Amino acid sequence: MNQVTGSQAADVESQYHAEFAVGAHSARHLRRVLRLRLGRSGLSHVADAAELALTELVADVVRHVPGRRCRVCFLLQPDGVRVEAADGCPRLPVAAEADALGEGGRGLAIVAAVADRWGVTPYADGRGKTVWFECGSPAEPPGS
């Protein structure tokens, strides 16, 4: 008989990688995968913020990256998660002043608002970049 021992968090791989052309339903799929992994790792306290920031990264790829190809990586850490979206587009994202009635321009502001840290790492060869964020504030203990 097979028997599983140890904590549930130990059973979840600490990394998830996917590479594909993103589209209209990609963010929803990736949010589900992220929430499942965070929940199974005891990191549910960062799921809402991480899902929202992930949605913005995927939306930026859909809007701004020719071919919409990207590589998404979730790196589970003891107290949170690092999410990366890498693509082959050399243009770096710029936090723009959003028009009050405009449909865009708020993505990086949202990421900055919900993530503990975020940034952009250009490829050394200038042929792309990785946009990343980290969510890892511990949950408030009950009764505080």
Side-chain angles (χ1 to χ4, degrees):
M1 173 183 355
N2 292 335
Q3 184 175 10
V4 176
T5 59
S7 69
Q8 189 175 20
D11 297 337
V12 178
E13 289 186 37
S14 64
Q15 295 186 17
Y16 169 84
H17 300 275
E19 184 170 343
F20 50 91
V22 294
H25 300 290
S26 299
R28 180 176 61 190
H29 168 73
L30 289 167
R31 283 193 307 267
R32 287 180 185 163
V33 172
L34 180 59
R35 182 167 290 274
L36 180 65
R37 289 182 166 274
L38 291 172
R40 289 185 175 172
S41 298
L43 298 168
S44 295
H45 62 279
V46 300
D48 290 340
E51 284 184 62
L52 180 54
L54 170 63
T55 299
E56 294 304 325
L57 295 190
V58 172
D60 282 350
V61 171
V62 169
R63 287 187 187 119
H64 303 294
V65 174
R68 299 181 174 180
R69 291 208 60 82
C70 74
R71 180 173 187 257
V72 176
C73 181
F74 306 151
L75 303 165
L76 301 180
Q77 300 166 341
D79 60 349
V81 64
R82 178 181 174 104
V83 174
E84 301 176 348
D87 63 64
C89 181
R91 283 180 292 148
L92 300 180
V94 177
E97 291 292 323
D99 177 359
L101 300 176
E103 293 184 18
R106 294 174 188 80
L108 291 179
I110 291 170
V111 172
V114 300
D116 294 310
R117 294 177 25 159
W118 75 277
V120 180
T121 306
Y123 292 172
D125 64 6
R127 295 184 180 178
K129 76 240 173 230
T130 298
V131 182
W132 58 270
F133 67 83
E134 295 176 351
C135 294
S137 299
E140 288 291 325
S144 38

